[in-house]
Amino acid sequence: KHRGGVLAVVGLEALFEAHTGNDVHLAVVDRETGSVRYHSSDFTLVEKPLKEAVPPLVNPTVEDGVFPFEFKGKNFLANGTDLVTPPWTVFAYIETDKYLARPQQIGRIALGASLAFILLCGAIIRTLVRRLRAHTDQLEEANEVVQAHNKLLEKELETAQSMQMGLMPTNSPDVEGFDISGFCRPATHVGGDFFQYFPLPDGRVALALADVTGHGMEAAIPTVLFSGILDSQMEDATAPEELFSRLNRSLYRTLDRRTFVCFSMGELDPTSRRLRLVNGGCPYPYHYRASSEDVVELHLDAFPLGVRPESEYGVVEINLDPGDRIVFCSDGIIEAENGIEEMFGFERTAEAISRAAGLGVGSKEFIEHLLSEVDAFCGNAEQGDDQTIIVLRAK
């Protein structure tokens, strides 16, 4: 039988970016004589003692495996294997400095760049902190100015609210045979709702409710203006329908086209127990009839004051029986919304009036009950508009 071996030759240049012909060395050492039998790159080393040729590789054995060594100031990496016959050790070694130098250099560059980046970030952070502190100081100063301004504005709004609420009565008129009460709850500090009582000749009394378009200060100023005009016009003892016509023409000349006044008035004659009612743009007043225990709306259609100078205003006359109630409401009651934007509405208002009337309470308690039903319906929803109520009860 034939005995032999198979030799495979691989070009290391194909595997590594290195000129292995110059950098990889193969040496064969005779273990018995301790001399170099073969050296791939320097034939002058052949037959020389190993310690003279490559001193660190004296008596290498296969157990050593892969191991590094240093020779003449250079770093090498070696690997070997022992042959039994002949008693040789074959090993290869390669200089590692030239292959590690560039990665080490790149590593040093990367490390230096990282350190520089860290230092730069630190400088940027310190700059940002200084700027943030400066801005924080400025913001604190600005916040103090804003708070001082808000306090001043709050004080002015409280003054404006006090003045506006001062335009409305704090006491109800004492009219024999009747119980009258009114209440205004603005949605903000100031608003556009307004109510008032006016004494008239022959013991008559006028009940007036107004709602100026808009909210807040936008509505408050025209409300104060209208209050003054109304008070001046009430000096003349004229019929309500004539009063409305004069007020309408005056406001048309005074207000801008975006502003108008919804106004409702009832003139009560206690002697005849008759109420003459005029309405311009307000929700229809409600009449609770004690005899039938039902609630009806008193339909009166006309433009609000200040919309058209030629508008005409009609009158409805109502005889009031004992237990009857007339309820004037601004649209803040009707249009009050709950959390899902559902309005309280006309029907709920009529039902709430019927329930309050059934309690047999006075006008003040009647208003409190009606508002409590509105609040229960709205829940946590914000009040969107001023809410004003006047209640006239026939004893």
Side-chain angles (χ1 to χ4, degrees):
K1 294 182 179 179
H2 298 284
R3 300 176 65 183
V6 177
L7 174 68
V9 180
V10 179
L12 294 180
E13 290 84 352
L15 301 178
F16 305 100
E17 292 183 1
H19 299 287
T20 56
N22 298 325
D23 301 321
V24 179
H25 308 283
L26 178 66
V28 179
V29 177
D30 190 329
R31 290 196 302 275
E32 292 181 350
T33 63
S35 61
V36 177
R37 289 288 187 177
Y38 174 79
H39 197 284
S40 62
S41 57
D42 190 352
F43 292 103
T44 63
L45 298 176
V46 177
E47 300 300 335
K48 283 189 176 183
L50 179 61
K51 61 181 179 180
E52 295 179 6
V54 189
L57 295 181
V58 177
N59 297 325
T61 62
V62 71
E63 286 80 7
D64 293 327
V66 178
F67 56 92
F69 68 92
E70 184 179 350
F71 180 61
K72 294 182 180 181
K74 297 181 179 180
N75 294 302
F76 294 86
L77 188 67
N79 192 8
T81 183
D82 290 338
L83 302 178
V84 177
T85 302
W88 293 348
T89 296
V90 180
F91 66 92
Y93 63 94
I94 184 172
E95 182 184 347
T96 58
D97 288 341
K98 64 188 302 179
Y99 300 105
L100 297 179
R102 181 171 178 79
Q104 289 174 347
Q105 181 183 12
I106 294 174
R108 286 192 294 270
I109 293 174
L111 178 60
S114 299
L115 292 174
F117 179 74
I118 292 172
L119 293 175
L120 177 61
C121 290
I124 293 173
I125 291 172
R126 286 193 297 272
T127 302
L128 291 175
V129 169
R130 287 196 297 269
R131 292 182 179 179
L132 179 60
R133 288 174 178 171
H135 286 309
T136 301
D137 294 338
Q138 294 175 0
L139 287 173
E140 289 178 353
E141 294 176 1
N143 187 45
E144 291 176 358
V145 173
V146 171
Q147 288 180 353
H149 177 74
N150 287 341
K151 289 181 180 179
L152 179 60
L153 180 61
E154 185 77 16
K155 185 177 180 180
E156 291 179 353
L157 286 174
E158 289 175 356
T159 301
Q161 182 186 40
S162 177
M163 293 178 62
Q164 183 179 1
M165 298 304 291
L167 299 174
M168 289 176 268
T170 56
N171 297 313
S172 299
D174 186 9
V175 180
E176 185 177 357
F178 291 89
D179 175 24
I180 302 172
S181 188
F183 182 77
C184 176
R185 183 166 65 179
T188 57
H189 282 84
V190 291
D193 278 14
F194 164 79
F195 78 96
Q196 188 56 273
Y197 313 121
F198 296 96
L200 300 174
D202 303 326
R204 291 173 295 130
V205 63
L207 317 176
L209 183 148
D211 181 3
V212 179
T213 53
H215 304 286
M217 197 63 72
E218 177 188 9
I221 294 176
T223 299
V224 174
L225 173 66
F226 175 69
S227 174
I229 295 175
L230 176 62
D231 187 72
S232 176
Q233 293 287 349
M234 290 300 296
E235 292 292 330
D236 298 329
T238 57
E241 59 272 26
E242 296 177 7
L243 172 67
F244 268 61
S245 296
R246 289 206 310 270
L247 288 171
N248 179 54
R249 291 191 296 268
S250 178
L251 291 174
Y252 184 83
R253 293 191 302 267
T254 304
L255 302 177
D256 61 57
R257 298 284 72 84
R258 297 175 303 170
T259 306
F260 50 86
V261 180
C262 297
F263 186 48
S264 186
M265 174 178 282
E267 182 185 277
L268 174 65
D269 184 349
T271 304
S272 63
R273 302 177 69 87
R274 178 172 295 180
L275 180 71
R276 303 184 74 241
L277 183 66
V278 184
N279 185 43
C282 282
Y284 299 140
Y286 291 90
H287 180 197
Y288 172 77
R289 298 180 295 193
S291 59
S292 56
E293 297 183 349
D294 62 352
V295 179
V296 296
E297 296 178 1
L298 302 174
H299 290 210
L300 279 167
D301 294 307
F303 283 107
L305 304 181
V307 176
R308 297 176 56 184
E310 68 278 6
S311 295
E312 296 182 356
Y313 299 90
V315 179
V316 170
E317 293 190 0
I318 305 162
N319 292 319
L320 298 174
D321 297 324
D324 282 7
R325 286 174 171 82
I326 301 295
V327 181
F328 300 85
C329 294
S330 67
D331 58 6
I333 299 293
I334 312 300
E335 297 175 0
E337 294 184 347
N338 59 16
I340 59 174
E341 298 183 355
E342 181 183 10
M343 289 199 307
F344 192 65
F346 294 98
E347 292 184 3
R348 287 190 181 89
T349 302
E351 293 170 358
I353 288 172
S354 179
R355 285 191 291 269
L359 298 175
V361 296
S363 294
K364 182 179 179 180
E365 293 77 11
F366 187 100
I367 293 175
E368 293 173 353
H369 180 84
L370 182 55
L371 288 175
S372 69
E373 290 212 23
V374 174
D375 293 342
F377 172 81
C378 295
N380 295 326
E382 184 179 354
Q383 180 182 340
D385 197 2
D386 307 328
Q387 298 173 346
T388 305
I389 303 173
I390 298 178
V391 175
L392 168 64
R393 178 173 71 100
K395 296 180 181 179

